[in-house]
Structures are given as C-alpha cells and as structure tokens.
Amino acid sequence: MKKILIPTDFSNTAKVAAKYALQLAQHIGAEPVLLHVYHLPVTDPSVPVPMINPDELQEINEKAMRELIAELSEKTTLPIKSKVQIGFAVDEILELEEKYDLVVMGMKGSGAINEALFGSITTDVMRKTKKPVLIVPENVTFKDIKTVIFACDFEPKTSMKSLDPLKEIIQKFNAELQILNVMKNEDLMTVE
C-alpha cells in the first residue's frame, strides 16, 4: 500500500480518523494525504448577506489545514501532504480515489444509525467508491490490529484486487481475518 487518502472536515471525529490513519501509515510505510473539500455558501438573493470572496474562503480553509497538520505533526514523524479544494466532498473523493490505495474516514458513533439511514459523506463514499474505506469511530486510538472483520456481499462484480490493501494490513499486523456475510433465510449459498 503506497498512499492513504484522509478526507477531513476539521471536526473532532475527522481528527481522530486522521490520527488513526497516520499511525496506520507509519506502521505499513504508506504516504498519508489529507483532503479537505469545501463549497461556496449559497445565499438567498433577497436577504442581504455579505458574500465572502472565493480566494478568502480558500485561504481560510488552507489555514485550517495548516493548523491541523501542525497538530497532527506532533504525533508522527511522517511528512503529511494535503489538498484543499472547492467542490462537493463525495465527488472529489471519488475523482481522486484512483490515486490512492485506501480511504480512511471518521464516523460519529452516536449518529451512526442516523448517518447510515439518511446518509453522510462517509456512508456515501462507502457506497460509491471502488477503493477500500476504513471507517474510524470517534474516540478510538490506534492499537496493533489483531482481528479484521470483512463485511461483504459476495457479489461477482467485487474485484479481488480491491482487497489488496486489506491483505497487506492483515499481513503487516499478523491479524486474524473474519468474513461476515448476512443473508436472508431463503437465500442459498454454495461453497464457492
């Protein structure tokens, strides 16, 4: 595994995921890249609201990224690359995914059910990406990985190549792999 994409919105949950991703990158020798995607605020033209200049908005977001990198750099010796760009987060992550082997994102525990039911950037990326996505719950600290549970649907379209980053993580940590598949009672599954 060569590169890990770490999308962030600068929330505490995203910071936890970034810290986790950096520790993982350090253990497996991967290059971490932080990504922050923002969009221009949309205002109602009938309501007088001062508009922010797009260049100013870019600078504000770049400053937030520099502050995050400074905070994260205290915990790692890895060089941290970053990208700050305008757009829609899911679209930009999907557009960049081919350049990365793994996407690491955070998800807030208390809202996980709501996020799964109603959607979030994390769940949307999980549904649409072809790359593996590691979801890091809030308030998690990095520990050596002992067990990996791989949830899959056994769809024929699933590429076994997409499992390469997972295999590498399992090998680096000498972890146990468990495969989870949930089926309806009436569905039959062959050994294959």
Side-chain angles (χ1 to χ4, degrees), residues 7-18 36 68 71 106-108 138:
T8 183
D9 60 3
F10 306 123
S11 67
N12 285 334
T13 302
K15 285 180 187 178
V16 168
H36 175 66
L68 176 60
E71 180 182 335
M107 182 178 272
K108 195 169 184 144
E138 64 179 337

Side-chain angles (χ1 to χ4, degrees), residues 38-44 49-54 56-58 60-61 86-88:
Y38 66 95
H39 56 272
L40 290 173
V42 179
T43 59
D44 181 349
V49 176
M51 286 295 293
I52 188 164
N53 177 321
E56 287 178 58
L57 192 55
Q58 177 73 21
I60 289 167
N61 284 286
I86 193 166
F88 294 100

Side-chain angles (χ1 to χ4, degrees), residues 14 17 20 32 70 72 77 95 104 131 135 152-153 163 183 192:
Y20 192 97
L72 294 172
T77 57
E95 191 170 310
V104 179
K131 294 293 180 168
I135 305 301
C152 66
D153 55 10
L163 298 177
M183 299 172 50
E192 292 169 17

Side-chain angles (χ1 to χ4, degrees), residues 96-108:
L96 290 171
E97 74 178 358
E98 287 307 313
K99 297 177 181 177
Y100 298 91
D101 302 302
L102 177 68
V103 179
V104 179
M105 300 179 76
M107 182 178 272
K108 195 169 184 144

Side-chain angles (χ1 to χ4, degrees), residues 15-87:
K15 285 180 187 178
V16 168
K19 289 175 186 174
Y20 192 97
L22 288 173
Q23 291 293 315
L24 178 63
Q26 188 137 5
H27 274 75
I28 62 176
E31 176 187 322
V33 179
L34 289 167
L35 171 68
H36 175 66
V37 180
Y38 66 95
H39 56 272
L40 290 173
V42 179
T43 59
D44 181 349
S46 64
V47 178
V49 176
M51 286 295 293
I52 188 164
N53 177 321
D55 292 336
E56 287 178 58
L57 192 55
Q58 177 73 21
E59 181 52 41
I60 289 167
N61 284 286
E62 286 177 358
K63 180 179 183 229
M65 181 63 83
R66 286 190 300 272
E67 290 170 359
L68 176 60
I69 290 172
E71 180 182 335
L72 294 172
S73 293
E74 295 173 6
K75 309 269 189 234
T76 185
T77 57
L78 286 175
I80 304 171
K81 293 185 178 180
S82 67
K83 295 176 185 275
V84 176
Q85 60 193 60
I86 193 166

